[in-house]
Amino acid sequence: MRFLCALVMFSVLGAQVQALSCLRPNTAKTFNFHQEAPEKYRLFVGKVKMTGVIPKYVEGTPQSAKAVATGRFVGRSGLTKAQSLNVTVQTQCVASWCGGFPSAMDKDVIMYIKQTPKGDVIDIGACPGGFGQVVTDDRVKLLQKCLRKGKCSNADIKEFEFK
């Protein structure tokens, strides 16, 4: 009987823990998500340095702060010249879990920069995906291919399932 109770308890707790975990980011799925969004996004690889005051964390409350993104845009046939952009970094929340602000970046990452009437915005969610995947040659080639086609294929998604 104890074994049965323990098994049921761990099954329920395991499901709750799984519900709180994030899926592993997939470069191709993330691309398709941003392509299908009503907002306009530009694909950028580089680093972000916070320049504004980072607000104190308040559980479940989105925050924003000013930053500079330095890097290159990904185009259909290659990367643009290096440039710096003034951006606003906005954290997004899922229930009480929120994204955080970038700090001391030592590697270039993939990011989607949203164009708004008030300027460029980088949304950072509670789960990784649209910001923070480390740039690799494979990922850049995939993104360029998907840009040329307008979307990543199911084969692209499957290929990047565990990369």
Side-chain angles (χ1 to χ4, degrees):
M1 184 66 169
R2 283 184 186 170
F3 175 74
L4 182 59
C5 288
L7 183 61
V8 170
M9 184 178 80
F10 286 122
S11 295
V12 170
L13 289 176
Q16 288 175 343
V17 169
Q18 180 65 27
L20 299 177
S21 65
C22 296
L23 296 175
R24 183 181 205 133
N26 179 304
T27 305
K29 280 184 182 178
T30 302
F31 177 89
N32 286 349
F33 172 82
H34 286 91
Q35 279 293 96
E36 294 166 3
E39 302 86 5
K40 183 176 179 180
Y41 289 91
R42 297 184 292 164
L43 188 51
F44 197 74
V45 296
K47 297 176 181 72
V48 175
K49 181 179 181 187
M50 301 306 299
T51 56
V53 175
I54 296 176
K56 186 174 182 170
Y57 178 76
V58 177
E59 185 177 308
T61 304
Q63 305 285 345
S64 66
K66 298 296 182 189
V68 173
T70 304
R72 302 177 291 172
F73 286 104
V74 178
R76 290 182 174 101
S77 59
L79 299 173
T80 64
K81 282 191 313 188
Q83 54 192 294
S84 293
L85 305 168
N86 291 318
V87 297
T88 299
V89 175
Q90 292 182 160
T91 64
Q92 302 297 318
C93 302
V94 176
S96 60
W97 298 275
C98 300
F101 292 98
S103 64
M105 299 178 70
D106 60 345
K107 295 183 180 183
D108 286 350
V109 298
I110 298 168
M111 59 190 97
Y112 291 83
I113 298 179
K114 181 170 51 176
Q115 293 181 285
T116 74
K118 294 183 179 182
D120 292 326
V121 174
I122 297 171
D123 288 321
I124 299 180
C127 292
F131 178 87
Q133 283 190 294
V134 174
V135 173
T136 64
D137 288 340
D138 285 349
R139 287 183 177 142
V140 171
K141 286 176 186 172
L142 168 81
L143 293 168
Q144 290 170 323
K145 179 172 111 177
C146 295
L147 276 169
R148 287 190 294 273
K149 294 188 307 185
K151 129 179 218 183
C152 295
S153 68
N154 288 335
D156 296 328
I157 291 170
K158 188 170 184 167
E159 178 183 348
F160 279 81
E161 199 63 40
F162 299 106
K163 288 187 178 184

